[in-house]
């Protein structure tokens, strides 16, 4: 059986919430975007932006990590969870700010908070190491808290 693609006008528009926190670690920026259509005819419209500041103590610790301070895996794990909570709070607060029920979102995307960025190839234990990056902000916490 051969399936044919739905015309882009038949595909239900989506409301998508995207969240990002940058290297300044000043807060979580959330954007609500309406996406309609299907390739190659997709349209997008920004419906809103909202900012939730980082708590000062959490900001200091994330900046220390991002600047190379040593930390045990347990602390990184805890920060991963705490940032997931903060992103979830940002999603909930943003939707309240826009008067948009969470159930109207099709999806939530989060880049996470970068705590390590090794952009150059370097030697590690005698081998050439690939560039890498590490972001934290547990997406399962965001999913559970926002439904």
């Amino acid at each position: 059986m051969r399936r044919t693609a739905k015309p882009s006008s038949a595909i239900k528009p989506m409301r998508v919430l995207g969240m990002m926190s940058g290297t300044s670690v000043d807060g979580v920026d959330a954007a609500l975007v309406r996406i309609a259509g299907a390739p190659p005819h997709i349209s997008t419209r920004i419906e809103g932006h909202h900012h939730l500041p980082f708590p000062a103590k959490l900001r200091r610790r994330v900046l220390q990590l991002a600047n190379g301070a040593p930390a045990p895996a347990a602390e990184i794990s805890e920060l991963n969870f705490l940032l997931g909570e903060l992103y979830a709070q940002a999603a909930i607060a943003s939707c309240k700010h826009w008067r948009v029920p969470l159930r109207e979102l099709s999806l939530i995307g989060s880049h996470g908070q970068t705590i390590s960025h090794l952009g150059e190839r370097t030697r590690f234990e005698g081998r050439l190491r690939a560039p890498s990056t590490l972001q934290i902000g547990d997406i399962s916490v965001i999913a559970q808290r926002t439904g």
Side-chain angles (χ1 to χ4, degrees):
M1 181 173 155
R2 184 178 167 138
R3 293 184 182 211
T4 57
K6 290 182 181 179
S8 59
S9 62
I11 296 174
K12 183 180 175 190
M14 296 189 305
R15 273 186 151 163
V16 175
L17 178 84
M19 295 185 290
M20 179 87 180
S21 57
T23 56
S24 65
V25 194
D26 63 343
V28 178
D29 289 297
L32 181 64
V33 179
R34 180 174 293 277
I35 302 174
H41 305 289
I42 295 177
S43 66
T44 60
R45 186 178 84 234
I46 296 175
E47 294 186 340
H49 170 266
H50 192 245
H51 178 82
L52 181 74
F54 264 75
K57 188 175 180 180
L58 181 59
R59 180 178 188 262
R60 276 192 302 278
R61 190 59 190 132
V62 170
L63 285 170
Q64 289 171 342
L65 274 177
N67 288 318
E75 184 177 353
I76 294 171
S77 178
E78 181 182 22
L79 284 171
N80 182 50
F81 183 86
L82 290 173
L83 285 170
E85 289 281 3
L86 184 70
Y87 289 124
Q89 290 171 13
I92 293 165
S94 296
C95 284
K96 283 182 182 177
H97 175 78
W98 300 316
R99 294 184 177 103
V100 171
L102 282 166
R103 69 181 177 277
E104 288 188 14
L105 299 179
S106 298
L107 62 94
I108 295 174
S110 175
H111 173 270
Q113 177 63 53
T114 301
I115 60 167
S116 178
H117 181 74
L118 305 171
E120 301 293 324
R121 289 181 153 285
T122 57
R123 291 245 169 237
F124 179 71
E125 295 184 357
R127 296 177 36 200
L128 194 57
R129 175 174 55 192
S132 64
T133 185
L134 178 62
Q135 288 76 33
I136 59 174
D138 196 325
I139 59 173
S140 63
V141 173
I142 300 167
Q144 198 281 328
R145 301 292 187 261
T146 61

